[in-house]
Amino acid sequence: MADNFIYGFHAVVSRIRQDAKSVTEVYLHRERQDPRARDLLQLAEEQGVRVIFMERHRLDGMAGNDKHQGVVAKVVAAREYHDVFDVLENLKEPALLLVLDGVQDPHNLGACLRVADAMGAHAVVVPKDRAAGLNATVRKVASGAAETVPFVTVTNLARSLREIKEAGVWVVGAAGEAESDLFSAKLEGPTAWVLGAEGEGLRRLTRETCDQLIRIPMFGSVESLNVSVASGICLYETRRQRNRI
C-alpha cells in the first residue's frame, strides 16, 4: 500500500495506539516541548515508532496546510473498499451501514466517520464522484475513525443500493418531507441509512431507490441538521432498538 500523511495530535496518537506498525515515521515541530508533545514522544518510543524533528514550514508542506498542531505522521494508507460485500460477508450481526449521498465537505465526512465508529456502523459508503474522499483533513476530523471504519467507494450509488437491498439489507433514506418519522421506524434488522448533504438532501434517483423514507422529528426552529448530527441520531436509534430486543 502507498504511504499517506495524517496530522494533528489526536489522529496521530490514535493511529499509533490502534496500529503502530502502520506508522512509518512521526514528524514533530522541533519547538514543541509541552506535555502533549512529551506524551507523544513517550508513546512513540514505547511502540518503536521513529520521531523526526523538523521546522514548521516543512510540516505545512506535508499536511498541505498549517492546521497540523506541529505533528504529522507518514502512515500506510488504510484500505479503501470498492465492494460493500467485502464487508457484509464477514459480519456476525445484522448489518448497519451509513451511506452518504453527495457529502463534499471533508469536515462533515470526518465527523460522519467518527459517528459511525461510535455507533458501531460496519461501513461508510460514498460515491466516487461529487463526494469527499479520504484525505488528511478527513482523517484529522475523524480522530482515528478513518482507520477503524471500512470506507467503501462505489462508482454508481443507486446500483450499489439495489445490490445492498438484494443482499437483504433494508435501505432507509433520511428525508425531511417523509411521512413516517424516526419514532415509528422499525430498525431491528439489517439496515443501511442513506443521508444527503445538508441543504440538498438526497438526489432523486437515490431517494427512489430507498425502501423507505424517514424524517427526524424536529421540535425547535431549525429546519435541518448537519449531516453528521443527523447520522448520529439515526444510527443511535437503530442501536437503541436492537439493544432492547
Side-chain angles (χ1 to χ4, degrees), residues 154-168:
V154 299
T155 302
N156 187 308
L157 185 60
R159 183 175 63 215
S160 295
L161 289 175
R162 289 193 292 270
E163 292 173 347
I164 290 171
K165 291 165 63 173
E166 292 172 358

PDB file of all heavy atoms in Angstrom, residues 154-168:
ATOM      1  N   VAL A 154     -17.959   3.668  -4.213  1.00  0.00           N
ATOM      2  CA  VAL A 154     -18.655   2.961  -5.294  1.00  0.00           C
ATOM      3  C   VAL A 154     -18.805   3.877  -6.502  1.00  0.00           C
ATOM      4  O   VAL A 154     -18.917   5.093  -6.376  1.00  0.00           O
ATOM      5  CB  VAL A 154     -20.036   2.456  -4.836  1.00  0.00           C
ATOM      6  CG1 VAL A 154     -19.887   1.473  -3.681  1.00  0.00           C
ATOM      7  CG2 VAL A 154     -20.944   3.604  -4.420  1.00  0.00           C
ATOM      8  N   THR A 155     -18.819   3.277  -7.676  1.00  0.00           N
ATOM      9  CA  THR A 155     -18.925   4.041  -8.918  1.00  0.00           C
ATOM     10  C   THR A 155     -20.338   4.528  -9.154  1.00  0.00           C
ATOM     11  O   THR A 155     -20.560   5.672  -9.580  1.00  0.00           O
ATOM     12  CB  THR A 155     -18.467   3.177 -10.106  1.00  0.00           C
ATOM     13  OG1 THR A 155     -17.125   2.744  -9.882  1.00  0.00           O
ATOM     14  CG2 THR A 155     -18.532   3.971 -11.404  1.00  0.00           C
ATOM     15  N   ASN A 156     -21.327   3.684  -8.882  1.00  0.00           N
ATOM     16  CA  ASN A 156     -22.729   4.021  -9.116  1.00  0.00           C
ATOM     17  C   ASN A 156     -23.496   3.767  -7.822  1.00  0.00           C
ATOM     18  O   ASN A 156     -23.744   2.619  -7.450  1.00  0.00           O
ATOM     19  CB  ASN A 156     -23.284   3.172 -10.257  1.00  0.00           C
ATOM     20  CG  ASN A 156     -24.692   3.584 -10.669  1.00  0.00           C
ATOM     21  OD1 ASN A 156     -25.582   3.688  -9.835  1.00  0.00           O
ATOM     22  ND2 ASN A 156     -24.887   3.800 -11.962  1.00  0.00           N
ATOM     23  N   LEU A 157     -23.892   4.832  -7.140  1.00  0.00           N
ATOM     24  CA  LEU A 157     -24.509   4.683  -5.826  1.00  0.00           C
ATOM     25  C   LEU A 157     -25.867   3.997  -5.904  1.00  0.00           C
ATOM     26  O   LEU A 157     -26.170   3.107  -5.099  1.00  0.00           O
ATOM     27  CB  LEU A 157     -24.649   6.048  -5.146  1.00  0.00           C
ATOM     28  CG  LEU A 157     -25.178   6.008  -3.707  1.00  0.00           C
ATOM     29  CD1 LEU A 157     -24.258   5.200  -2.818  1.00  0.00           C
ATOM     30  CD2 LEU A 157     -25.344   7.427  -3.160  1.00  0.00           C
ATOM     31  N   ALA A 158     -26.691   4.381  -6.862  1.00  0.00           N
ATOM     32  CA  ALA A 158     -28.027   3.776  -6.975  1.00  0.00           C
ATOM     33  C   ALA A 158     -27.920   2.273  -7.233  1.00  0.00           C
ATOM     34  O   ALA A 158     -28.656   1.472  -6.632  1.00  0.00           O
ATOM     35  CB  ALA A 158     -28.821   4.452  -8.085  1.00  0.00           C
ATOM     36  N   ARG A 159     -27.004   1.892  -8.100  1.00  0.00           N
ATOM     37  CA  ARG A 159     -26.824   0.465  -8.375  1.00  0.00           C
ATOM     38  C   ARG A 159     -26.336  -0.272  -7.137  1.00  0.00           C
ATOM     39  O   ARG A 159     -26.796  -1.381  -6.836  1.00  0.00           O
ATOM     40  CB  ARG A 159     -25.842   0.269  -9.525  1.00  0.00           C
ATOM     41  CG  ARG A 159     -25.649  -1.204  -9.921  1.00  0.00           C
ATOM     42  CD  ARG A 159     -24.766  -1.323 -11.150  1.00  0.00           C
ATOM     43  NE  ARG A 159     -23.424  -0.818 -10.891  1.00  0.00           N
ATOM     44  CZ  ARG A 159     -22.683  -0.180 -11.799  1.00  0.00           C
ATOM     45  NH1 ARG A 159     -23.150   0.045 -13.010  1.00  0.00           N
ATOM     46  NH2 ARG A 159     -21.464   0.224 -11.484  1.00  0.00           N
ATOM     47  N   SER A 160     -25.418   0.340  -6.408  1.00  0.00           N
ATOM     48  CA  SER A 160     -24.916  -0.284  -5.186  1.00  0.00           C
ATOM     49  C   SER A 160     -26.013  -0.433  -4.148  1.00  0.00           C
ATOM     50  O   SER A 160     -26.072  -1.444  -3.430  1.00  0.00           O
ATOM     51  CB  SER A 160     -23.756   0.531  -4.619  1.00  0.00           C
ATOM     52  OG  SER A 160     -22.652   0.521  -5.502  1.00  0.00           O
ATOM     53  N   LEU A 161     -26.903   0.547  -4.069  1.00  0.00           N
ATOM     54  CA  LEU A 161     -28.022   0.439  -3.137  1.00  0.00           C
ATOM     55  C   LEU A 161     -28.948  -0.709  -3.515  1.00  0.00           C
ATOM     56  O   LEU A 161     -29.451  -1.432  -2.644  1.00  0.00           O
ATOM     57  CB  LEU A 161     -28.797   1.756  -3.091  1.00  0.00           C
ATOM     58  CG  LEU A 161     -28.107   2.929  -2.398  1.00  0.00           C
ATOM     59  CD1 LEU A 161     -28.948   4.194  -2.532  1.00  0.00           C
ATOM     60  CD2 LEU A 161     -27.842   2.611  -0.929  1.00  0.00           C
ATOM     61  N   ARG A 162     -29.171  -0.882  -4.798  1.00  0.00           N
ATOM     62  CA  ARG A 162     -30.008  -2.007  -5.234  1.00  0.00           C
ATOM     63  C   ARG A 162     -29.348  -3.338  -4.872  1.00  0.00           C
ATOM     64  O   ARG A 162     -30.022  -4.292  -4.458  1.00  0.00           O
ATOM     65  CB  ARG A 162     -30.261  -1.920  -6.740  1.00  0.00           C
ATOM     66  CG  ARG A 162     -31.195  -0.780  -7.143  1.00  0.00           C
ATOM     67  CD  ARG A 162     -31.661  -0.908  -8.576  1.00  0.00           C
ATOM     68  NE  ARG A 162     -30.572  -0.719  -9.526  1.00  0.00           N
ATOM     69  CZ  ARG A 162     -30.233   0.457 -10.047  1.00  0.00           C
ATOM     70  NH1 ARG A 162     -30.911   1.550  -9.706  1.00  0.00           N
ATOM     71  NH2 ARG A 162     -29.233   0.548 -10.910  1.00  0.00           N
ATOM     72  N   GLU A 163     -28.037  -3.414  -5.007  1.00  0.00           N
ATOM     73  CA  GLU A 163     -27.319  -4.640  -4.658  1.00  0.00           C
ATOM     74  C   GLU A 163     -27.377  -4.880  -3.150  1.00  0.00           C
ATOM     75  O   GLU A 163     -27.491  -6.033  -2.698  1.00  0.00           O
ATOM     76  CB  GLU A 163     -25.877  -4.541  -5.137  1.00  0.00           C
ATOM     77  CG  GLU A 163     -25.746  -4.539  -6.662  1.00  0.00           C
ATOM     78  CD  GLU A 163     -24.328  -4.271  -7.122  1.00  0.00           C
ATOM     79  OE1 GLU A 163     -23.508  -3.834  -6.269  1.00  0.00           O
ATOM     80  OE2 GLU A 163     -24.037  -4.481  -8.313  1.00  0.00           O
ATOM     81  N   ILE A 164     -27.296  -3.807  -2.374  1.00  0.00           N
ATOM     82  CA  ILE A 164     -27.407  -3.926  -0.924  1.00  0.00           C
ATOM     83  C   ILE A 164     -28.791  -4.443  -0.540  1.00  0.00           C
ATOM     84  O   ILE A 164     -28.929  -5.310   0.337  1.00  0.00           O
ATOM     85  CB  ILE A 164     -27.113  -2.566  -0.254  1.00  0.00           C
ATOM     86  CG1 ILE A 164     -25.623  -2.217  -0.388  1.00  0.00           C
ATOM     87  CG2 ILE A 164     -27.523  -2.576   1.217  1.00  0.00           C
ATOM     88  CD1 ILE A 164     -25.281  -0.816   0.053  1.00  0.00           C
ATOM     89  N   LYS A 165     -29.801  -3.950  -1.220  1.00  0.00           N
ATOM     90  CA  LYS A 165     -31.163  -4.425  -0.971  1.00  0.00           C
ATOM     91  C   LYS A 165     -31.299  -5.910  -1.296  1.00  0.00           C
ATOM     92  O   LYS A 165     -31.935  -6.677  -0.557  1.00  0.00           O
ATOM     93  CB  LYS A 165     -32.160  -3.601  -1.789  1.00  0.00           C
ATOM     94  CG  LYS A 165     -32.293  -2.160  -1.324  1.00  0.00           C
ATOM     95  CD  LYS A 165     -32.981  -1.280  -2.339  1.00  0.00           C
ATOM     96  CE  LYS A 165     -34.400  -1.699  -2.621  1.00  0.00           C
ATOM     97  NZ  LYS A 165     -35.099  -0.724  -3.488  1.00  0.00           N
ATOM     98  N   GLU A 166     -30.709  -6.334  -2.418  1.00  0.00           N
ATOM     99  CA  GLU A 166     -30.771  -7.741  -2.815  1.00  0.00           C
ATOM    100  C   GLU A 166     -30.072  -8.647  -1.807  1.00  0.00           C
ATOM    101  O   GLU A 166     -30.392  -9.844  -1.713  1.00  0.00           O
ATOM    102  CB  GLU A 166     -30.141  -7.912  -4.200  1.00  0.00           C
ATOM    103  CG  GLU A 166     -30.952  -7.265  -5.320  1.00  0.00           C
ATOM    104  CD  GLU A 166     -30.214  -7.267  -6.656  1.00  0.00           C
ATOM    105  OE1 GLU A 166     -29.059  -7.746  -6.684  1.00  0.00           O
ATOM    106  OE2 GLU A 166     -30.784  -6.778  -7.656  1.00  0.00           O
ATOM    107  N   ALA A 167     -29.138  -8.080  -1.037  1.00  0.00           N
ATOM    108  CA  ALA A 167     -28.441  -8.841  -0.003  1.00  0.00           C
ATOM    109  C   ALA A 167     -29.238  -8.918   1.288  1.00  0.00           C
ATOM    110  O   ALA A 167     -28.757  -9.473   2.293  1.00  0.00           O
ATOM    111  CB  ALA A 167     -27.073  -8.219   0.266  1.00  0.00           C
ATOM    112  N   GLY A 168     -30.459  -8.374   1.281  1.00  0.00           N
ATOM    113  CA  GLY A 168     -31.323  -8.464   2.454  1.00  0.00           C
ATOM    114  C   GLY A 168     -31.201  -7.319   3.433  1.00  0.00           C
ATOM    115  O   GLY A 168     -31.667  -7.423   4.577  1.00  0.00           O
TER     116      GLY A 168
END
